[in-house]
Structures are given as C-alpha cells and as structure tokens.
Amino acid sequence: MSNYTNSPCAACKFLRRKCTSDCVFAPYFPPEEPTKFANVHRIFGASNVSKILHEVAPHQREDAVNSLAYEAEARLKDPVYGCVGAISVLQRQVLRLQRELEETNADLMRYASCLGSETTSAYGGRRG
Amino acid sequence: MASSSTNSPCAACKFLRRKCQPECVFAPYFPPDQPQKFANVHKVFGASNVTKLLNELHPSQREDAVNSLAYEADMRLRDPVYGCVGVISLLQHQLRQLQIDLSCAKSELSKYQSLGILAATHQSLGINLLAGAADGTATATVRDHHYHHHQFFPREQMFGGLDVPAGNNYDGGILAIGQITQFQQPRAAAGDDGRRTVDPS
C-alpha cells in the first residue's frame, strides 16, 4: 500500500489530502496510475466510489474499482452512450450470429433428412 | 416536457428539494412520474456530475445520454461489483461461443453439402456410396450444435479481453436491454437494419 511508504495513493494525491493507513482508495489507486482515479472521480465522484467500495466485500473491491474505471473511461470517450454503446453493438452481433446459427442448423437438418431419404431410395427401401 | 412549466417539479428537483426552474437542465429528462430514475443516477453518479455531463452535450444528445446513464446506474445498483461491465463480459463470452458453434455447424454443413453432391452424382451413376450415413449420425451431429448454457467466466478473464469502445466506432445499433427502448442510433452508426429489440431482463 502506497501509504506505508509515505507516498500518497493516486486518490489522495488528486484530492490533496493525507493518505492515511486506512485509506479505502489506496490499494486500488496506486500513485503510478493517476489517470485511473482522475477518470473515476470525474464520472462518479470520490464519495460515490467510496460508498460503493464500502458496500462490497473487500475481496471484490479490486474488481469493482476496475469496472468503475472501465465505465468511466468509456464514458469519457463517448459522453452520450458510454459503455452502453458497446452493449448495444454486442447484442446486435449476438442476435446476428444466433440467427445465422439457426439457419445453418436448419440447413443441416434438411441435409440430414435428405440424405436419409436418398439413402432409403438408393437402397431400394432400406430403412434409414 | 419541462415539468417546471406546469409548476410540478421534475423528479430531480423533487429529490433535491429545490425549486424547479424553467431552465432546469434535468426537467426534460427526469419527469416527476419516474422518481427512481433520478434517484439511481444520483446515487451512482451524483447530480453535479450529471449536470456537467449534460452541459457538455448538445441538447439533441442529452436524452440518450440520460437514458444510458440511467441504465448504467441501474446495472451498478443491481451488481455493485461489475455493473455494466458484467453484461459486456457475458455478451463477449456469448459471442465467442456462438462463433465457435457457427464455425462447427458450417464445417459440418460443408461436409454434408459435399456428401449430398457426391451422393447425387453416384446415385445417378448407380454407385452405392453412403453406407452408414442413414444411421442417424447426421441428426446426432445436428443435435450437438445447440446453444451452450453460458456462465459468467472466471474473474481473471473478466477484464482481460475488454476493449474500451472508441466514441465513433460503433457499427450502429439500438440498445436492447431492460427498459431502454428509445435510443436513437449512435451518431457515427450506419445501422444495417435499424431494428429495435427489447429484451426484458
């Protein structure tokens, strides 16, 4: 933790406050990644992030911070849709592939039944 | 839509217990009959951050921005650890599985197509080539190409493959999750069919 080495975490550096030993941000916002906290602070606000971190179990906080950082970055790149735009694109892709898979499976079924009937006729009544 | 014009404060001003002015930036997007929408957005993003965000956008973009923020806030409240990122991860995983399934299905199909042509050719020549093909093998193969039951993939994969989308690189699309049905197409989009879908969650 950065506060053990007298180096404030990125959050406390940004907020210009003393980084105490129990700083909730310190484990997840190392001083060498200042942009991460800056982005999260800009979109969510430090107090909201702090509340979220306090609501989740300690072993989940790293993932929570990383997902917040991801969303914040997405929102800064696309202020209108943020990461929701990516969800939209992915959903359309999933729907398209599902349709294509259904069509391909339908074709497979058709071939399977055709081969069965052709075999039957080829073998003069042999049951397929 | 400005509720302040009818002396009824918008949901934001009601929540913040302040007078809803005619020029209230929230009023067009947070009607008083949807109090939860603002409550969620306020909880996750904060009123001042939302104000700044909206003020940076053209008025024509603000409705979509508010709706996407409301969606993100809703997802974050349902899943405080992953929020929307969990949905993205799941969709990416689903997509990968579908790509694999489709590739297998097409590979099988090409075999049957070849076999079908061959059979037709040999049949016309009176040659019996399809011994064993009538034992249901094809049907079993088709049955195997079913959708997998997708599960959340392990934590270590959750963030590894995520790409932060650039603002204008979408191929077009309408959001299809939850209660959001009114997004217009992203501005750089060239939607191939403009289809709107709704997926009640």
Side-chain angles (χ1 to χ4, degrees):
Chain A
M1 290 199 213
S2 57
N3 47 11
Y4 288 164
T5 60
N6 289 329
S7 173
C9 71
C12 292
K13 219 167 177 177
F14 185 95
L15 298 169
R16 295 180 188 176
R17 67 183 197 190
K18 187 171 158 49
C19 193
T20 58
S21 54
D22 55 352
C23 174
V24 70
F25 297 123
Y28 317 109
F29 294 103
E32 59 270 16
E33 294 179 45
T35 306
K36 188 177 175 184
F37 182 79
N39 290 347
V40 164
H41 175 67
R42 189 165 165 194
I43 299 300
F44 295 101
S47 60
N48 288 339
V49 175
S50 174
K51 280 183 211 163
I52 290 173
L53 290 183
H54 281 114
E55 282 170 3
V56 305
H59 69 279
Q60 295 176 310
R61 287 176 184 168
E62 187 175 4
D63 281 356
V65 164
N66 287 339
S67 70
L68 288 167
Y70 175 86
E71 283 190 41
E73 192 177 352
R75 180 63 61 175
L76 290 167
K77 290 195 181 193
D78 183 355
V80 181
Y81 296 104
C83 67
V84 175
I87 292 175
S88 175
V89 170
L90 286 168
Q91 276 209 316
R92 282 172 56 85
Q93 289 173 344
V94 164
L95 284 172
R96 189 173 65 230
L97 285 191
Q98 282 174 342
R99 273 199 301 270
E100 205 175 333
L101 186 58
E102 279 167 15
E103 287 164 6
T104 307
N105 280 340
D107 287 342
L108 272 170
M109 292 298 294
R110 273 195 290 276
Y111 270 98
S113 52
C114 279
L115 281 174
S117 61
E118 282 173 5
T119 310
T120 301
S121 63
Y123 293 120
R126 172 181 164 173
R127 283 186 295 279
Chain B
M1 192 192 269
S3 57
S4 52
S5 61
T6 60
N7 290 329
S8 175
C10 71
C13 292
K14 217 169 184 178
F15 185 94
L16 298 169
R17 295 182 188 176
R18 66 185 197 190
K19 188 167 158 47
C20 192
Q21 306 285 352
E23 64 276 13
C24 173
V25 71
F26 296 124
Y29 318 109
F30 294 103
D33 56 346
Q34 295 178 25
Q36 199 59 48
K37 187 178 176 183
F38 183 79
N40 290 351
V41 166
H42 176 70
K43 189 168 179 184
V44 175
F45 296 99
S48 59
N49 286 341
V50 175
T51 303
K52 279 182 216 164
L53 226 133
L54 292 182
N55 284 332
E56 285 170 7
L57 295 174
H58 190 271
S60 64
Q61 298 172 313
R62 288 176 185 167
E63 187 175 6
D64 277 356
V66 164
N67 287 337
S68 71
L69 288 167
Y71 176 79
E72 275 193 54
D74 189 47
M75 288 295 112
R76 181 59 63 174
L77 292 169
R78 288 173 192 240
D79 182 357
V81 181
Y82 296 109
C84 271
V85 174
V87 176
I88 292 174
S89 299
L90 180 64
L91 286 169
Q92 286 181 331
H93 181 64
Q94 217 174 349
L95 204 56
R96 278 192 290 269
Q97 289 296 331
L98 281 168
Q99 283 164 344
I100 292 168
D101 289 349
L102 188 60
S103 174
C104 290
K106 285 188 168 176
S107 171
E108 287 299 315
L109 186 63
S110 66
K111 288 181 201 168
Y112 282 106
Q113 282 169 335
S114 311
L115 201 59
I117 293 168
L118 204 58
T121 305
H122 285 89
Q123 186 179 17
S124 69
L125 296 175
I127 300 171
N128 182 350
L129 258 189
L130 298 175
D135 63 359
T137 307
T139 306
T141 304
V142 169
R143 276 201 298 272
D144 289 341
H145 293 292
H146 56 272
Y147 296 126
H148 299 297
H149 289 289
H150 303 295
Q151 297 178 4
F152 282 98
F153 49 88
R155 177 191 175 277
E156 56 269 16
Q157 294 182 33
M158 182 68 76
F159 299 103
L162 291 178
D163 295 317
V164 177
N168 295 316
N169 288 342
Y170 302 135
D171 68 352
I174 308 298
L175 184 66
I177 292 181
Q179 73 279 27
I180 299 174
T181 59
Q182 65 233 35
F183 278 137
Q184 296 175 9
Q185 291 192 3
R187 53 183 181 273
D192 52 0
D193 59 8
R195 177 169 157 238
R196 290 170 188 258
T197 56
V198 176
D199 177 24
S201 53

